[in-house]
Amino acid sequence: MTDANATPARVPDKPTVDGLEDKWGAVWQEQGTYAFDRERALSLPREQVFSIDTPPPTASGSLHVGHVFGYTHTDCMARYQRMLGKEVFYPIGWDDNGLPTERRVQNYYGVRGDHGAAFDPNFTPPLQGAEGKSVKAADQVPISRANFIPLCEELTAEDEKSFESMFRTLGASIDWNQTYRTIDDRSRAVAQQAFLRNVERDEAYQAEAPGLWDVTFQSAVAQAELEARDYPGAFHKVSFHKPDGGTVEIETTRPELIPAVVALIAHPDDERYQHLFGTTVTSPLFGVEIPVLAHQAAEPDKGAGIAMCCTFGDLTDVMWWRELQLPIRSIITRNGRISGETPEWITGGAGESLYVEQLATKTVHSAREAVVTALRESGDLIGEPVKTQRKANFFEKGDKPLEIVTSRQWYIRNGGRSKELQDELIARGQEIDFHPAFMRSRYTNWISGLNGDWLISRQRFFGVPFPVWYPLDAEGETDYDHPILAAEETLPVDPQTDVPPGYDAEQRGVAGGFVGDPDIMDTWATSSLSPQIATGWPVASNAGERNDAELFAKIFPMDMRPQGHDIIRTWLFATVVRAHFENGTVPWTGAAINGWILDPDRKKMSKSKGNAVTPEEVLRQHSADAVRYWALAGRLGVDAAYDESQMKVGRRLAMKLLNASKFALTMGDVADDAPITNELDRSVLANLREVVEQATKGFETWDYTRSLEVTETFFWTFCDDYIELVKDRAYGGQGEAEAASARATLRLTLKTLLRLFAPFLPYSTEEVWSWWQEGSVHRQAWPSLEELRTDGDPTVLGAVGQALAGVRKAKSDAKMGMRAEVSSVTFAGPAEITDRVRAGEADLRAAGKITALQYADGETFEVRDAELIPPPPKTPAQS
């Protein structure tokens, strides 16, 4: 006979969730609990390996709770797949190059990169940690590229340490041996090799064309990085002159672009202007003759119904310019100012002096004021400007409206100019299981709305250089038509320091020599290759020594791409484009799309908006399990509110799991094969079987929030009803056989619940598992239906629990504590319910302190005629 009061030695007296992160994080790291077993993966069938293309977070400062939200969803699925017995490939990278990093370095050190600055071997930055004080551009010290890049590398390395620490605290079951940086040797070689192959297959090309330009960051911007915002402006009604002396009135918010007008355009069906199509008018102030043309994109109900086409005011101008084959008359330069050189189409005309004296080298704002004043004086301004809020395109990280500037850039084809390629990429989307499924439409709609190819070059410093040089002719002019491409076996290369084949270093920048391409790749051009980087896609040079052709062949395409819905248009789509070209397939078969985290005003949390909450303090205050609970209560694809009250619920759940487990394990030892004979015990297991079935279905349909809900609901019933009901019996109050049945049920239920909760609450489940089991709960098998009895009636637990709740209510209504005795009570209801109550009567009597009870018929179940005896006063020891 076992001692019912024996306490397993490993159960602490006062369990707590506090400190579990440090305790178990160290154990997991030491024991390699989440390590990927490559050899096992190679030996298994493909369906027994689960690979995740984990988002590489941008290493530019601190993470926020939005990261916690998304990465917790990913980790939950990784843990479930691991418990199914699959070998889980769960790497992580750091997206440490690109504009966000440069901007952080500029503010942190008080510097900015300048291509014209000389290298200073003894340079010391003027600041060390000005984060949050946003140093003005005018106060930033210009430094050379060679001085600037080491500062970027230094700061990102520090950021990545803090990022890793936070993810470890969160309990992310990442294999920390499988990491990469998007600026490391391997990532640069992968990006450069893929680009070279794109060029060779004519999937990438260089062109001088109008493109979106951010004057603050002095860089081109891709269509996917646009953000439409309201911007204050004014409508100006302006007269253009017809040859017969009449006028055509247009309305514009950008009168400063009148010198750049190349046509007036109206809708072909607009009767007001049909007689003008094919004729010409002259521009006010400058007297330049321009055609009046028709195009379907003109809007008859907007303004006067006829618009200026300037090169270039907006993306519609670019479309008109391209489709109507109009000339380029650009006046806005890369610095956002009007060109200092007088355009040849104005030279010698009526407006030359106006341009030279009041427009040249001026800002767009100053030029606008000057043109409006001149229009007013000439009589070509009709009425006064009318203020309005116009929609303007901004770089998503910028503060000023974008301009459209003609420049030479690199592009990758993406279907924006090819219906055939567009259809192929839309079809790729059908090969991917989107979770939730409606997110596929965002992918499709984005591709359908593209109006140009993917611009991948950036005029910045910290990024992957284009592996390209250009020859210089005898006059020292750059020959862009004959680029010199690096050999794959030499990658990665930096054309600013490396020399192309057939040249020597002394020929850099001199006639008959060469120059390196000064641009870097857009950060998406590297991170769009994250599946290839992480899985070992072979590069000819084996830079970084991470080639793994066997593993790549095994796990690519990957299984899961988790990410936010806002970057479907960028990261997800770009990754599909690269895999389509390079591998002839999709990069992964499933995409899990999480929502945003919203602040109390229902706005997306972001560091740039200043409304983000950093996770370190939240994790310390509430515990990692509590924060994970909050994150996993939000379904995929749905935006969720930041809610610390939900974290408090999660902490309460984790604490209850510890304390309920302590009770279940301190009833005394019991044999693993002890028979479970009591009907209430069998009912618990029948209910648990249903929970396992529903929780498994939730994971299999990527609705793990539902899995958490059904598990948690059962757990509270288990604690509030079953544990209270069987206390007396488990302690031996009804004999050893009945005690053994209760103890066996408690342990089997607990063993199952811990595994069901493990993907959600990894720390508290690991803690409890260690009290009486060997190994890690996270390496155990996911619960199966075969483990649980099937001959119990699942409705018994609910009926007996309902009766216990009625007794408790009677005591509460009488303002007596739960220690009050019930000298007599009647349970009334339909026979099928009262029969179930009878099955648990012995436990119900003990839990409710019931002396006598009767049964009666009734239409619905109720507790009647409870006669109560007040409990005796508590002794000092009880108090």
Side-chain angles (χ1 to χ4, degrees), residues 486-567:
E488 289 188 6
E489 60 270 15
T490 67
L491 303 178
V493 299
D494 183 349
Q496 301 305 307
T497 55
D498 295 324
V499 177
Y503 293 86
D504 57 48
E506 287 69 29
Q507 292 178 280
R508 184 183 296 275
V510 301
F514 70 92
V515 292
D517 193 308
D519 294 345
I520 62 170
M521 297 183 194
D522 166 26
T523 187
W524 296 113
T526 303
S527 58
S528 62
L529 294 162
S530 57
Q532 290 86 346
I533 292 170
T535 58
W537 180 60
V539 292
S541 63
N542 196 18
E545 299 184 348
R546 298 288 290 272
N547 282 357
D548 195 333
E550 277 190 288
L551 183 63
F552 177 74
K554 184 75 175 187
I555 65 175
F556 186 93
M558 302 178 82
D559 295 281
M560 178 183 182
R561 154 60 70 83
Q563 64 165 72
H565 58 71
D566 53 324
I567 53 173

Side-chain angles (χ1 to χ4, degrees), residues 128-295:
Q128 285 286 345
E131 184 71 13
K133 298 181 181 178
S134 193
V135 182
K136 293 181 180 179
D139 297 330
Q140 293 169 354
V141 176
I143 61 175
S144 71
R145 175 179 182 271
N147 287 126
F148 187 73
I149 289 177
L151 294 179
C152 294
E153 292 173 338
E154 176 183 293
L155 193 54
T156 54
E158 290 304 310
D159 286 343
E160 286 155 15
K161 290 178 184 176
S162 65
F163 283 18
E164 179 176 336
S165 174
M166 196 285 292
F167 281 122
R168 285 183 181 273
T169 301
L170 181 63
S173 59
I174 289 165
D175 181 354
W176 293 102
N177 295 313
Q178 304 288 339
T179 63
Y180 62 89
R181 303 175 68 203
T182 57
I183 199 65
D184 65 24
D185 285 351
R186 170 164 173 78
S187 294
R188 284 184 288 131
V190 168
Q192 290 182 339
Q193 178 170 291
F195 166 77
L196 290 172
R197 294 183 180 185
N198 290 142
V199 173
E200 291 166 2
R201 295 189 297 257
D202 193 35
E203 297 153 359
Y205 63 93
Q206 193 179 46
E208 187 163 2
L212 294 157
W213 186 268
D214 190 288
V215 299
T216 303
F217 296 113
Q218 288 291 288
S219 181
V221 175
Q223 182 181 352
E225 299 169 307
L226 297 187
E227 187 175 285
R229 303 179 198 164
D230 287 328
Y231 192 73
F235 282 116
H236 305 76
K237 187 175 288 188
V238 178
S239 295
F240 280 68
H241 303 279
K242 296 190 291 186
D244 62 6
T247 61
V248 178
E249 296 176 0
I250 63 97
E251 290 187 18
T252 179
T253 59
R254 301 204 63 181
E256 73 278 8
L257 291 179
I258 290 176
V261 175
V262 292
L264 294 188
I265 297 178
H267 194 278
D269 298 333
D270 195 329
E271 295 181 356
R272 294 172 294 176
Y273 302 110
Q274 285 184 347
H275 68 288
L276 291 176
F277 295 147
T279 68
T280 61
V281 296
T282 56
S283 61
L285 303 180
F286 301 96
V288 178
E289 187 175 357
I290 59 173
V292 181
L293 304 173
H295 195 280

Side-chain angles (χ1 to χ4, degrees), residues 6 46 253 261 299 307 327 414 500 623 699 835:
R46 175 62 182 88
T253 59
V261 175
E299 301 176 273
N414 66 356
S623 82
F699 271 106
D835 285 347

